[in-house]
Structure formats: structure tokens, C-alpha cells
Amino acid sequence: MLEKLQRALGLRTNPAIFFSSALLALVFVLGSILFTEEVDTAFGDAAEAVKANLGWLYILGVTAFLIFLLWIAFSRFGHVRLGGKDDRPEFSNVTWFGMLFAAGIGTILMFWGVAEPINHFANPPLSGVNEQVSELTEADLNSRQFAEQLRDVPVANGSAEPLSEGAANEAIGFSLYHFGFHTWAIFTLPALAFAYFAYRRGLPFRVSSIFHPILGDRINGPIGKTVDVIAVIGTLFGVAVSIGLGTLQINSGLNGLFGIDVSGTVQIAIIAVVTTIATISVVLGLDKGIKWLSNINIWMAVGLLLFIIIAGSTIFLLRGVIESTGTYLSMLVPLSFWNDALPAGDWGWQGTWTVFYWAWTITWAPFVGIFVARISKGRTVREFVLGVLGAPVAFSVIWFSVFGMSSLNIEFNDPGSLIGPVVQEGDTAAALFAFLDHFPATEVLMAFAVLIVVIFFTTSSDSASLVVDMLTSGNTAHPPTRQRVFWAVLEGVIAATLIAATGQEALQALQQVITVLGLPFFLIGFLTIYCLMKAMKRDIPEEELLPPRTRAMLEKRAAAVGAAGTGVAADGHADAGPASEPGSTGTTTLRSPDPVDPTVPDESGPQDPRPESLN
């Protein structure tokens, strides 16, 4: 039946995964509209249970992912190439980085670059003043009075007081912890696995392919399809949260520029416009669409960053970048294991921030992971891990140092000007524009920032549709463009429908849902490590694990000995030298790999089953 429907619609996909995912997504949207309170309560209770009982596992697990990635990059497996022996990267490093940045956390940096440091500045996480700060936000105070009251909040000995220098350092450290190595470790782990199993074993770009070492051909059965459907749903809703945040920020910017109301109607119109742009990018394809937009976007973001440095307190910010780097590195190990355990009792600040971040990030890790894998063929494991962890994290450090330190400096000099709207009023979406209001050419700057967010929004939607199509169709040759268009439109419909139904409350309910959905994805992360190591130990010949120079030397020596044995010199001319000793074969061979499982595709001359163009 599903096959007939697929043929009637002119699709080339896995019908069970495609139609099941689409149906479940639409059922959830309708359920959220018709039974908003019940859905919110059910998932809210489940999310609280996950945070209270398994939050520690999230904290430890993401740190474990990071440690594993660093280990494999510097181990002998770091020499393994993601592809054939002669494959080389398809994109230059600059283009590759731009695509990583735009599809990964570009939108998030724009949204949280000011909002997160300001939040932690007013509410230092390690000081345990979360409840007191919440009570003050309910009091009838103006922004300056709010700032004065915050400074009088009692804290434990040795803890940073709100709006103090200690709180400023803590704010930068936590912001970078949330958007630094740990976040990109969540993306890099599945990305590495997708790249390995696609380019080394010729398997489709699906989450189920990661389990090939333990499931074998059963990844094509009910178990594998169930895993893939869950991955599609998690990706759709994880991206929907980003779309929702981006929409709110664009609406806030338009309100500041043109006085346009902040309303559901305006937000739906914004989603419609950006979805249309994303659909056009989908039709143009990866090389002409996402690549082109990503290159423009990264340079625009860099331009905004440079403007803030030049127009702001330049020397202060340059010093701040260096100091923030040191603050992050000094706090990295302690925060990697901090579990908000003291004082003993209910889960505190961390459940609302870090645990939610990790759960949210891991739900759309398949989206970022598959996209990163798709653009990274030909790189070695070491190049891949260090590149994906290094370049975006370095940019994040600079971004949060500049925007975070600038916002803290503004708040120091003008108390209440930023914590008033962001913390007291809770208007997180307006944080960037309240910040830009302190710089020259404010309206031009705000318009430029809105445009950056729109393009980030577009590339995220475009990339997500590409990835969801891969999750549902695998490596189908020349998949119809209409499939990716369908997913791009569905992403916009999900976000628009939820906003139209219940406004921001729907996005909050969605955040609760993905906190729950993050748990199975988190457990999949541990299985990914096991399957990846099992596959590498089985598949990779011993000589491929050698350093490139050592391998080249041995190959040259083998060629020379072989030439001597056949009477031909290494340069291809006849060799009049003495013959080989009796009993010698005249050749030297490198150690062969262990026998390969017959269920695993032949690894000699691995072929990329995907088309050259995904148009």
C-alpha cells in the first residue's frame, strides 16, 4: 500500500520511514493544538523526571563523548581516511568551516551571544541564588532598582555575588561551556560515525546504519526502521525549537526597527517568508544553495563581530578575548563534572540550563551529524575531529568573548540597561537588539543583524530538509527535489502551527518534549562509540593505522624490493644487478587485515553510493 502511494506521488524513498515520520509529526502537531494542556502536563512531568533522576548521566555522558573523540583523534585510528585511499576533501577549509558554522550553531550564537552571559551575570550559577533572583523578577521594581536589589542578594562565603566581577567571569565560563567543546562533541560523535559507515562500508545515511556491527542486515528491518523514524522525529522537533527561537528574534528586531507588533500573526508571516527562501535554496541544491548562503553568512557574521570590536571598547575587548579563553579553559574540567549537587535537595539551576541544553542539542545531533558527514568525505579521522571540534569552538570563544564582555561592560556602566529587559522582563529574544542600541548607526546595525538571523534561519531549514530526506531515503540515487521541499515546508508548518495555536507556550511545551526525546538519543551515543570501535578494529588493515610517513616509507621499500625481485629498478628500467637469493620471492608484503565478515560490503575501492549532486 505504501509502495503504491510512493509511486503515485513520484517519490524515491523508504516508504515505511517516510510516511511514518510524516504522520507522527502531523499527529503531534494536531495533538498539541487540540490537547495543549494535557500534552504540556504529560511531557512536562516526564521532562522533570528525566532532569531530576538522570541529569547526572547527561553531564557525565557528554564529557565522556568529548574524551573519546580526543582519544580517537590522537590514537592510531586518527590516520584512517573517511573514504577511499585516494579521496581528498571536496570543499576547502574555509568553505567547510562556513558550512559547519551555518548548519550548526550560527543561529544559536546570534540568539544567546548576549542573552546567556547577561542571564548568568545576574544569576551566578555556582552561587545558588536562583530562587532569590526569580522572586525579584516578580517584584514591582524598575530596571535600576532591580540591579540594586540583585547586588544585595545574600550568597555563601566564597561565592560570586550577582553583578560582581566574579559573576562576570562565571557568566563567560558557563556560556562557553554550553557552546564550546561539549556542544560540538555532541555533534561530532554521530557525524564521525555517519561518515565512517557511509564512506567505508557503503551504508545509507541513516541512524540505523551506526548499528550495523551489532545488527548486520537487520538494520533494514523493523528495528532499524523504528530507530530511523525516532531520529526523524527528533530532528524535526529539535530544528523546530531553533526555528521558533529565530522567529522570535527576527520579530523582536522588526519591532525595534519598524514598530511591528510582536505577535503570532507576524511570526507566522516570518516563517512563511523564510521557508520560501529555504525552499528555493533546496531547489538550487547543496553547491548552489547551502554553500552559497553559508559563505555569505559567515562573512556577514564576521563583519558584525569586527564592527562591535572596532566601535566598542577595542582594547578592552581584545584583552577580554584572551582572558575569556583562559577563564573557559580553567573552568572546563570542573564544569565538565559539576552536577549542582550542593546543597543537597532538588535539582537546581543546572536542570533548567545545562541538562536542557544537552538534551536539546542531542535531538538534532543527527541533523548536524549527517550534514557534517556529507561535506567531510576525504578527511582523516584526526582532521575531521580536530576540525569539527576546533574551528567552530574557536569562533564561539571569540564570539562570546566579544559580545559577552561588551554586554557585561555596558551593564557595569549602565546598571539595569540589559538585565532589565533580558532577566527582569524575560525578553530573551530582544537581548541582541537591546545590546545593539548602545552602538552607533543602531538602525542599520539592527537591520544587518536581522538579515544575518534570516540567512542562518534559512540555512538551518535547508540543511535540515536535506538531512531528513537522507534519513528517510538513505542514499537513493538522484532523489526527487520534491522530497526535500516537502520536509522544508513541513518544518515551517510545524513551527507556524504551534505558534498559531498557543504562541510561546507551544515552544515551551516543545522544549519539554525534546528533553524527553533526548534520552534515547543520549543512550544511542554510547552505542555509537561501541559500534564505531568494533567496526574500525574489524575493517581497517594494520598498515592503514600507521603514520602516513611510515606507511609511505614501507610502500616505497616494498616497491623497491619487488622491483629487485623482477629485475626492474624502482624507476621502471631494467636492473642488471644480482638476482634474488635462492628461496626468496623478491617481494615484501605488509600485514593483511583480519578476515572480513561476508555481510560487510567489499572494502577494496570503496564507492560513494550517493550521487555527485543532491539536486
Side-chain angles (χ1 to χ4, degrees):
M1 177 180 173
L2 293 179
E3 286 79 2
K4 291 182 179 179
L5 180 59
Q6 175 182 247
R7 287 194 295 270
L9 295 174
L11 305 177
R12 284 199 296 272
T13 184
N14 186 302
I17 300 174
F18 184 95
F19 291 112
S20 296
S21 301
L23 179 62
L24 286 174
L26 294 175
V27 166
F28 180 84
V29 169
L30 292 175
S32 297
I33 296 172
L34 298 175
F35 307 102
T36 303
E37 185 175 345
E38 291 82 358
V39 170
D40 183 52
T41 300
F43 279 101
D45 292 343
E48 289 302 316
V50 168
K51 289 189 290 186
N53 299 304
L54 296 174
W56 62 271
L57 186 61
Y58 278 79
I59 303 301
L60 179 61
V62 177
T63 298
F65 296 166
L66 177 59
I67 292 173
F68 167 76
L69 289 167
L70 292 175
W71 170 81
I72 198 171
F74 290 103
S75 73
R76 60 181 188 158
F77 294 103
H79 303 301
V80 175
R81 191 169 294 280
L82 300 173
K85 180 180 178 181
D86 298 324
D87 284 336
R88 292 297 180 269
E90 180 180 0
F91 302 103
S92 69
N93 289 335
V94 173
T95 298
W96 185 54
F97 170 52
M99 297 171 81
L100 288 175
F101 181 75
I105 59 173
T107 305
I108 299 176
L109 291 185
M110 291 293 292
F111 192 90
W112 291 109
V114 173
E116 174 138 359
I118 285 296
N119 265 287
H120 303 335
F121 185 45
N123 183 8
L126 298 175
S127 298
V129 295
N130 197 42
E131 292 184 6
Q132 295 95 310
V133 174
S134 296
E135 291 174 0
L136 281 178
T137 60
E138 302 296 329
D140 186 16
L141 303 169
N142 60 40
S143 59
R144 186 171 289 273
Q145 290 171 334
F146 178 64
E148 293 173 353
Q149 292 287 332
L150 277 178
R151 291 193 176 92
D152 294 331
V153 170
V155 298
N157 291 334
S159 298
E161 298 176 351
L163 308 185
S164 66
E165 290 185 13
N169 288 328
E170 200 169 306
I172 295 297
F174 267 94
S175 297
L176 292 175
Y177 168 52
H178 287 153
F179 297 105
F181 289 117
H182 283 72
T183 285
W184 280 94
I186 294 174
F187 295 148
T188 306
L189 179 60
L192 178 61
F194 287 133
Y196 180 84
F197 287 106
Y199 301 137
R200 299 293 304 211
R201 288 198 172 186
L203 297 175
F205 277 108
R206 293 185 187 141
V207 175
S208 58
S209 295
I210 294 174
F211 300 126
H212 191 259
I214 55 179
L215 292 179
D217 290 340
R218 285 178 294 171
I219 63 172
N220 299 314
I223 297 177
K225 290 177 181 178
T226 300
V227 170
D228 292 325
V229 169
I230 294 173
V232 171
I233 296 300
T235 299
L236 285 173
F237 291 136
V239 172
V241 172
S242 296
I243 289 176
L245 293 176
T247 301
L248 294 175
Q249 190 173 33
I250 293 170
N251 196 174
S252 180
L254 294 177
N255 175 261
L257 282 170
F258 308 111
I260 297 175
D261 291 340
V262 176
S263 66
T265 302
V266 174
Q267 290 158 9
I268 291 171
I270 292 170
I271 291 174
V273 171
V274 176
T275 300
T276 300
I277 299 172
T279 302
I280 294 172
S281 180
V282 164
V283 173
L284 290 175
L286 182 64
D287 290 333
K288 296 179 181 178
I290 301 175
K291 177 181 176 181
W292 184 72
L293 286 174
S294 297
N295 282 332
I296 291 176
N297 215 185
I298 189 64
W299 289 117
M300 289 178 68
V302 169
L304 179 62
L305 182 73
L306 292 175
F307 179 86
I308 298 301
I309 294 174
I310 295 171
S313 302
T314 306
I315 301 301
F316 167 77
L317 292 178
L318 294 176
R319 291 163 55 198
V321 169
I322 299 172
E323 186 167 318
S324 296
T325 302
T327 299
Y328 173 46
L329 294 177
S330 66
M331 296 178 68
L332 181 59
V333 173
L335 291 185
S336 296
F337 298 93
W338 180 63
N339 262 274
D340 204 5
L342 297 175
D346 294 334
W347 193 268
W349 177 93
Q350 200 174 35
T352 306
W353 286 89
T354 309
V355 174
F356 166 69
Y357 269 146
W358 294 169
W360 174 23
T361 303
I362 208 164
T363 57
W364 51 297
F367 149 49
V368 178
I370 287 182
F371 183 79
V372 170
R374 167 64 185 84
I375 63 176
S376 301
K377 182 181 180 182
R379 299 182 185 274
T380 65
V381 169
R382 180 171 299 166
E383 291 170 346
F384 180 88
V385 171
L386 296 184
V388 178
L389 281 180
V393 171
F395 192 91
S396 296
V397 168
I398 296 172
W399 186 274
F400 273 99
S401 298
V402 171
F403 282 84
M405 293 294 281
S406 292
S407 62
L408 297 178
N409 190 43
I410 289 171
E411 185 60 36
F412 270 126
N413 295 323
D414 187 9
S417 60
L418 291 181
I419 65 169
V422 178
V423 181
Q424 187 180 20
E425 299 175 15
D427 191 359
T428 307
L432 176 63
F433 303 106
F435 167 77
L436 294 178
D437 195 41
H438 291 80
F439 289 85
T442 300
E443 292 186 354
V444 175
L445 202 57
M446 290 176 65
F448 189 68
V450 168
L451 183 58
I452 294 175
V453 175
V454 168
I455 299 179
F456 273 137
F457 187 173
T458 302
T459 53
S460 293
S461 178
D462 189 347
S463 304
S465 64
L466 171 71
V467 167
V468 172
D469 185 55
M470 286 183 174
L471 286 171
T472 57
S473 64
N475 294 331
T476 301
H478 305 291
T481 302
R482 65 176 68 92
Q483 292 175 190
R484 298 201 303 280
V485 170
F486 169 78
W487 292 117
V489 172
L490 181 58
E491 291 157 10
V493 168
I494 290 174
T497 304
L498 290 171
I499 287 176
T502 52
Q504 293 189 33
E505 289 77 10
L507 291 176
Q508 293 170 0
L510 191 59
Q511 291 173 2
Q512 300 286 5
V513 172
I514 62 175
T515 298
V516 178
L517 288 178
L519 183 59
F521 282 93
F522 185 75
L523 298 177
I524 285 174
F526 289 106
L527 288 174
T528 298
I529 293 175
Y530 173 79
C531 291
L532 188 59
M533 291 311 304
K534 183 179 178 68
M536 282 189 169
K537 289 179 180 179
R538 187 182 191 93
D539 298 347
I540 308 301
E542 188 68 27
E543 61 266 23
E544 196 172 343
L545 300 178
L546 297 173
R549 288 185 179 181
T550 303
R551 193 187 319 153
M553 181 182 67
L554 291 176
E555 290 175 351
K556 184 176 181 180
R557 183 182 300 171
V561 173
T566 57
V568 179
D571 61 3
H573 295 89
D575 185 1
S580 301
E581 296 181 4
S584 172
T585 62
T587 61
T588 299
T589 59
L590 300 177
R591 184 171 177 261
S592 300
D594 295 332
V596 178
D597 189 331
T599 64
V600 178
D602 182 12
E603 294 301 326
S604 59
Q607 300 296 316
D608 181 8
R610 296 170 295 101
E612 290 298 324
S613 172
L614 289 177
N615 279 322

